[in-house]
Amino acid sequence: MAFFFNTIMGSLVPMCVTAMVTLAITLIFRTSFTTNFAQGVISAFGAYVASSVVMKAGLPIYAAIPIAMVVAMALASFIDVGIFRRGRYVNAVGKQIITMGLISVLAGAMPLIFGIQQFTIDPFVMGNLTADVGDAIPVTVTINSLICTAITVVLVVVIFVLLRFSKWGLSVRATASNEYVAGMMGINTHVVTAVSWGIAGALGALAAVMNATLGRAVSAYFMTDFQVTAFLAGILGGFSTFHGPVICALLIPFVNNIIIYLFNVTGHSDLTGWSMVVVYAIALVIIFFKPQGIFGKKIAKKV
């Protein structure tokens, strides 16, 4: 039982990172009507900023994170205002190609801006908490994981409360429903999309910093796995909702670790490398029967 709980505790930070990246991608998808393939490199840019501030300026990580989030917010907002707005009438495929091009631009720019040295970020707080559950080994969770979980819960709850009850949230939901009708009703959709891109950039930067606290070296593509999982969560949960993708973003790492646990306890530890393959297979079966996603709704268009 202790091994089971330790497996779950070990997935806390990946769950937090996946949830924030998924929420960022969903915000952009609902307001700009495109899948942002550059979310991973935008997030990595924020992590580069944070690690540079810590390693070169000597500031603590708690001071570096707000700086990184502001820089990533400005970068993402500029992409919307300076690039997407000029190609406003580009079709969906064209917008996706633009975000793919941004991957090459930003990935090539980061070594030029920050240098080629290895950038790392230490955990927020070192140390573990343990609990005895009667097994030979105790249940252990890092304090860093608990901090990441608390930050993620607060941010996600705040964003969903704002989406539900604030004027900004009403504007986002109206723009997501029909951008042109929202504009006719007096909503400044330009501001809505720019703010949504900015929030997505800030969330991505924070997620990348959390990923780096796990001991992973910061690189242009170190958020790619989470971005892929976030797209899967969006499809599985249904991009027609805000909450569906986030719920599935929490479920995917959780189920992945459950499968790893089952492989280990059944004596098939050599199959643990196939755990995500099993997760994808399960997701494909669900999507086959629910193509609009678990929480998605069928949209009927009048012609």
Side-chain angles (χ1 to χ4, degrees), residues 3 6 22 146 181:
F3 180 72
N6 282 327
T22 302
L146 296 178
V181 173

Side-chain angles (χ1 to χ4, degrees), residues 27-205:
L27 274 172
I28 293 175
F29 182 86
R30 296 299 305 279
T31 55
S32 294
F33 311 101
T34 187
T35 46
N36 180 24
F37 291 110
Q39 182 64 44
V41 291
I42 294 173
S43 303
F45 193 94
Y48 265 112
V49 172
S51 56
S52 296
V53 169
V54 171
M55 296 174 64
K56 296 182 179 180
L59 294 179
I61 186 62
Y62 298 104
I65 288 176
I67 296 173
M69 293 177 70
V70 169
V71 172
M73 180 181 291
L75 173 61
S77 297
F78 171 77
I79 290 172
D80 175 60
V81 175
I83 299 176
F84 267 78
R85 196 165 299 175
R86 296 179 182 277
R88 191 167 187 79
Y89 299 105
V90 175
N91 61 28
V93 175
K95 290 181 178 180
Q96 291 171 353
I97 292 174
I98 290 173
T99 63
M100 291 179 184
L102 288 170
I103 296 175
S104 298
V105 173
L106 291 175
M110 279 185 267
L112 297 176
I113 297 172
F114 301 104
I116 58 174
Q117 70 182 93
Q118 187 178 58
F119 288 87
T120 58
I121 298 176
D122 293 330
F124 295 127
V125 176
M126 302 295 292
N128 304 321
L129 296 178
T130 60
D132 188 4
V133 293
D135 286 2
I137 57 174
V139 175
T140 304
V141 59
T142 65
I143 300 176
N144 181 69
S145 296
L146 296 178
I147 293 174
C148 291
T149 302
I151 293 173
T152 303
V153 169
V154 170
L155 278 179
V156 171
V157 169
V158 167
I159 289 175
F160 274 102
V161 169
L162 291 176
L163 283 171
R164 180 65 180 84
F165 298 107
S166 72
K167 185 177 179 180
W168 168 76
L170 178 61
S171 299
V172 169
R173 287 185 283 119
T175 303
S177 178
N178 192 308
E179 181 181 10
Y180 299 104
V181 173
M184 292 172 62
M185 297 299 293
I187 296 174
N188 191 333
T189 57
H190 291 324
V191 172
V192 170
T193 56
V195 171
S196 297
W197 273 82
I199 293 175
L203 287 173

